[in-house]
Amino acid sequence: MPQDKPEPAEVPDGPAESTAPAAPPAQPAPAAQPTAAPAPAAAPAPAAVPVGYGAASGYGTARPAPVDVEAGEVEIAAVRATLTGPSLVARVGAELFGTFVVLLAGLGAALFASVTGAGVIGVALGFGFGTIGAFIAVAHVSGGHFNPAITLGSALAGRTPWGHVVPYWLAQLVGGALAAAVLFVASTSLEALTGNERSFFSGTANGFEAHSPIAQSTGGTGFGLLAALLIEAVLAAILVGVYLGATDRRGTRQQAAFAVGLTVAFAVLVAYPVTGGALNPARATAAAIFSESWAWGQLWVFWVAPLVGAAIAALLYRAFAAEPQDDDLLDEEIELDEVEVEVQPQR
């Protein structure tokens, strides 16, 4: 009997065998599997590619980046971009303001040159400094033309849309007319000019032959029609060429204002004895509005010559110095407003 008691001692082995099959329910311990296994692998997840509207701004639908995609094996499946820039109304307003500033400075210097003693150099600097100031102020909006000849040259060179040419011209004419009106009204307040206001203002008008500045200063015969056409066309071509080169994106455009302004100044210095230095149809028209009738009769020269010179300069620029066609920004900086890009592994 005492030897039968050791048999219950084997009972501990019985529970061990009964717990062994119970071990499978203990397998939920790998429930830590979600935390242990994928946690390290989830690290590459931030390399998601945003797609959808507004993805460029940091929001949109995020898709996981393709795994095991090596450099050079990615292709862009779709790209959508919205290009924005100043509106046409803003551009036209900038041209009106800029032309007003340029002609107020230049015509003002010419109108009162006999009083201030500035002479031809003062007139040239007036136009040049006015151009520099206006260009720095609004060129980032409209391109800083302030001259129908530059607008035509810019359009022919592929910088400005043709649909903007006429609105730009109208803005330049209105801005010039306003500047001339301010000066004319100011001059009429001088009692000594009573009855001679238009004769006094005619000193700012452009002309040739008897109305050439050299004829008025010497009392002799002035430069003829051919000289007027030639000098205006050549100097306008130089001005347009400098503008196109100075505003080229491949150059240093920070100095464009000074390049264009100083070119205007030297061109006025050269052309002043011949025609009074128009180089700008808006400038010639503004001065003619309040001048004597002869200014209207000769005004066509100061439209035809600068526009022909501008066309020649633009065509030469486009033939030999233009930017690649697919790199053309149409005269102004363009901002990317929205971009949608979807990247897929190359198959």
Side-chain angles (χ1 to χ4, degrees):
M1 295 296 298
Q3 293 179 351
D4 294 337
K5 290 184 181 180
E7 292 180 355
E10 295 178 357
V11 173
D13 296 336
E17 294 177 358
S18 61
T19 55
Q27 286 179 346
Q33 190 174 7
T35 57
V49 179
V51 295
Y53 181 85
S57 301
Y59 60 89
T61 306
R63 296 181 184 174
V67 183
D68 298 330
V69 176
E70 299 179 358
E73 294 184 354
V74 176
E75 61 180 2
I76 297 178
V79 176
R80 184 189 68 180
T82 302
L83 305 181
T84 61
S87 66
L88 180 58
V89 174
R91 299 170 193 268
V92 167
E95 283 297 303
L96 191 154
F97 171 78
T99 308
F100 175 84
V101 171
V102 171
L103 297 190
L104 185 68
L107 292 179
L111 185 63
F112 303 116
S114 59
V115 177
T116 61
V120 179
I121 294 178
V123 175
L125 291 178
F127 280 106
F129 288 158
T131 300
I132 292 172
F135 195 99
I136 293 174
V138 298
H140 62 283
V141 178
S142 67
H145 297 181
F146 320 136
N147 184 337
I150 291 181
T151 300
L152 177 63
S154 183
L156 288 172
R159 296 278 196 87
T160 299
W162 282 102
H164 291 184
V165 172
V166 172
Y168 269 42
W169 282 9
L170 292 176
Q172 291 155 2
L173 291 174
V174 172
L178 290 175
V182 169
L183 294 172
F184 182 76
V185 171
S187 65
T188 58
S189 63
L190 186 62
E191 294 183 359
L193 294 177
T194 302
N196 297 310
E197 294 89 352
R198 288 189 175 273
S199 177
F200 177 70
F201 205 86
S202 294
T204 66
N206 302 108
F208 55 93
E209 293 179 344
H211 303 289
S212 175
I214 198 170
Q216 296 175 359
S217 61
T218 62
T221 303
F223 290 95
L225 175 60
L226 179 61
L229 288 170
L230 182 62
I231 200 72
E232 289 284 331
V234 170
L235 290 174
I238 292 174
L239 174 60
V240 172
V242 169
Y243 174 87
L244 293 175
T247 56
D248 194 309
R249 295 186 303 116
R250 295 169 295 179
T252 305
R253 291 183 294 172
Q254 287 78 4
Q255 287 79 31
F258 298 95
V260 177
L262 293 177
T263 301
V264 169
F266 104 76
V268 171
L269 278 175
V270 174
Y272 193 87
V274 183
T275 62
L279 314 171
N280 183 341
R283 177 257 191 268
T285 303
I289 292 174
F290 300 99
S291 299
E292 295 174 328
S293 59
W294 64 262
W296 285 103
Q298 297 187 351
L299 181 60
W300 67 271
V301 172
F302 305 104
W303 274 88
V304 173
L307 293 182
V308 169
I312 294 173
L315 294 176
L316 290 175
Y317 175 85
R318 188 154 194 167
F320 300 107
E323 302 176 60
Q325 187 174 1
D326 59 352
D327 211 19
D328 190 0
L329 285 187
L330 290 178
D331 194 35
E332 294 89 15
E333 296 289 346
I334 297 180
E335 300 176 357
L336 288 177
D337 188 14
E338 301 162 9
V339 178
E340 181 177 343
V341 178
E342 182 176 353
V343 179
Q344 297 178 351
Q346 189 177 29
R347 291 180 175 83

